[in-house]
Amino acid sequence: EISLGLVGSEMCKETVVKDWCSFCGECAGVCPRNLIQVKEYSLVFDESECRECSTCVDACPINALEKED
């Protein structure tokens, strides 16, 4: 697993990106606050504005985003 954001950082404290993420950008396209950017082979995420709506998790076509318990 890698975290969403720069490798090694947390996304919304409880969401991770699995290592099979293809960086397709679906999550970035649906974020209602426009907080996710695809940069080469990473996702850059503005954690400070996240409201943990899980829209990005639900949008991932390959289930590479997951909320941790």
Side-chain angles (χ1 to χ4, degrees):
E1 298 177 348
I2 60 173
S3 303
L4 183 59
L6 299 175
V7 174
S9 70
E10 295 180 5
M11 171 197 162
C12 296
K13 304 173 192 85
E14 299 172 356
T15 305
V16 294
V17 177
K18 299 296 186 173
D19 52 2
W20 59 83
C21 175
S22 64
F23 307 102
C24 68
E26 288 291 322
C27 57
V30 299
C31 178
R33 299 177 66 86
N34 204 27
L35 302 176
I36 306 170
Q37 296 178 355
V38 179
K39 301 270 186 164
E40 293 186 26
Y41 296 104
S42 66
L43 298 176
V44 179
F45 187 80
D46 182 357
E47 298 170 7
S48 66
E49 298 295 321
C50 179
R51 299 297 177 254
E52 299 190 37
C53 67
S54 298
T55 302
C56 57
V57 174
D58 296 337
C60 182
I62 58 172
N63 299 315
L65 296 180
E66 182 177 278
K67 287 280 191 185
E68 287 189 331
D69 295 329

